[in-house]
Amino acid sequence: MNKIITIGREFGSGGRELGRRLAEKLQIAYYDQEIITEITKRTALSEEYIRNVEENQPLPLLPITVGRTFSLQFDSLVEQHQTVFLQQSNIIKEMAVKSDCVIVGRCADYVLREFSPLRLFVYADITARIKRCRDKESAKRDWNDRELKRSILTVDKRRAKYYQFYTDQNWGEKKYYDLCINTGGLEIKTVVPAVAALIN
Amino acid sequence: MNKIITIGREFGSGGRELGRRLAEKLQIAYYDQEIITEITKRTALSEEYIRNVEENQPLPLLPITVGRTFSLQFDSLVEQHQTVFLQQSNIIKEMAVKSDCVIVGRCADYVLREFSPLRLFVYADITARIKRCRDKESAKRDWNDRELKRSILTVDKRRAKYYQFYTDQNWGEKKYYDLCINTGGLEIKTVVPAVAALIN
């Protein structure tokens, strides 16, 4: 069976960077944009729409009490979200069958549970995450710490809901992972060879 | 500053074995029995008593509503428990000053926080822990799984209380550790070189 690494991560903790570097170090595939491109091919949905649905609200935000027309629209939106998840899961499985790989987010640890992946969760304290965001995202340089913190925690909340909805497990609860890595104290470049050492 | 590794661990997860192997691999000190021996030297307490106090009930189990004589006795017991913790903490600090080392349990991650240790927490699902206990502890071979499970969870509960009492932090909550390692899926002999790679 192929060697699969899945990475769940708190926003701003550097999970994506860890994934990319790990794939590089191990010389295995790193799937991210490829998954989105493949979903657009298999559905009539745009890349932008898919990005918005992925790891976002598991259900569209619409009022519960709506008229029949809205209700139908709501049902169709729910269906669309679930189609994206289903397509995404199929693609992830196909990729896992094809070769060793690293997959970040997308409930991949759960979707690929039959492949016995190495399941990582990457996290850090909020101060470290604010610093990382400030260093990386030029667009948010004019945000103050409070705004950045709120934005980070909102993304986390959405990821947690998305994960809980599709897996019935708690996002970030250590029992669902093999290794939880705190990048608040550990440097990613130091973590890469350590995690690589776990892959035989 | 010396390289210090502290290991918190769920009972039966193999944290002590990981500690011993890590110290061996890195050729650094592993402190366990030495700490107890040193406490007996510095107090009038027996080794057996210290073992019982360590990571056990932070407070002696006595009824709250007691007469004056009992109350005095209770106070003196509390004091004794706290003396053991204080002596233990001093000894741990002295050891951390002396050389690189691995220390298992004893709130060492908190006691040595000024030394910026690498703080590990080792855990596993209950099935894996029952299996490990069964493989290791010959004395408990005649216990059934239910008895073993109860015993494991009781030790965990005491460790959690002890840790919470002396550190005001939650035992096993991932934010208090740099790396949380699930030995339910990962083999300890594979984890050792990986963790060693984090120590420069």
Side-chain angles (χ1 to χ4, degrees), chain B residues 35-45 50 83 86-92 94-95:
Chain B
I35 298 172
I36 297 172
T37 311
E38 196 56 36
I39 302 174
T40 61
K41 279 187 202 161
R42 297 188 191 187
T43 61
L45 304 167
I50 292 162
T83 302
L86 198 68
Q87 287 292 353
Q88 183 176 266
S89 301
N90 289 339
I91 293 163
I92 288 173
E94 289 166 27
M95 285 165 166

Side-chain angles (χ1 to χ4, degrees), chain A residues 10 118-119 121 123 172 174-175 177-182 185-186 190-191 193-194 197-198 200, chain B residues 10 118-119 121 123 172 174-175 177-182 185-186 190-191 193-194 197-198 200:
Chain A
E10 287 182 351
L118 176 69
R119 302 160 301 167
F121 189 83
Y123 63 105
K174 67 184 190 303
K175 73 174 178 179
Y177 305 90
D178 299 302
L179 204 64
C180 300
I181 302 165
N182 186 344
L186 297 171
T190 320
V191 170
L198 288 175
N200 303 310
Chain B
E10 286 182 352
L118 177 69
R119 301 160 303 168
F121 189 83
Y123 62 104
K174 67 183 190 305
K175 72 174 176 177
Y177 305 91
D178 299 303
L179 203 65
C180 300
I181 303 164
N182 187 344
L186 297 172
T190 320
V191 170
L198 288 175
N200 303 309

Side-chain angles (χ1 to χ4, degrees), chain B residues 78-146:
Chain B
V78 169
E79 210 177 288
Q80 217 166 57
H81 276 227
Q82 290 182 344
T83 302
V84 169
F85 183 77
L86 198 68
Q87 287 292 353
Q88 183 176 266
S89 301
N90 289 339
I91 293 163
I92 288 173
K93 280 181 195 164
E94 289 166 27
M95 285 165 166
V97 166
K98 212 162 71 183
S99 71
D100 298 350
C101 61
V102 176
I103 298 174
V104 176
R106 303 178 168 95
C107 310
D109 54 314
Y110 179 82
V111 171
L112 297 179
R113 62 197 179 281
E114 284 161 24
F115 291 76
S116 304
L118 177 69
R119 301 160 303 168
L120 310 182
F121 189 83
V122 183
Y123 62 104
D125 59 280
I126 193 72
T127 314
R129 295 199 278 151
I130 286 174
K131 188 180 173 308
R132 176 174 291 273
C133 287
R134 213 171 272 297
D135 289 347
K136 295 203 93 175
E137 299 196 40
S138 53
K140 287 171 185 165
R141 280 218 181 111
D142 53 341
W143 286 24
N144 66 29
D145 278 4
R146 232 182 76 225

Side-chain angles (χ1 to χ4, degrees), chain A residues 61-125:
Chain A
L61 286 172
L62 279 180
I64 300 290
T65 327
V66 285
R68 189 173 153 66
T69 321
F70 283 115
S71 170
L72 276 173
Q73 231 174 25
F74 182 79
D75 285 352
S76 128
L77 269 171
V78 169
E79 209 175 289
Q80 216 166 56
H81 277 226
Q82 289 181 347
T83 301
V84 170
F85 184 78
L86 198 69
Q87 288 292 354
Q88 182 177 266
S89 301
N90 289 339
I91 293 163
I92 288 173
K93 279 181 194 163
E94 288 167 28
M95 285 165 167
V97 166
K98 210 161 72 182
S99 71
D100 298 349
C101 62
V102 176
I103 299 173
V104 177
R106 304 177 166 95
C107 309
D109 54 316
Y110 180 82
V111 171
L112 297 178
R113 61 197 180 282
E114 283 161 24
F115 292 75
S116 305
L118 176 69
R119 302 160 301 167
L120 310 183
F121 189 83
V122 184
Y123 63 105
D125 59 280

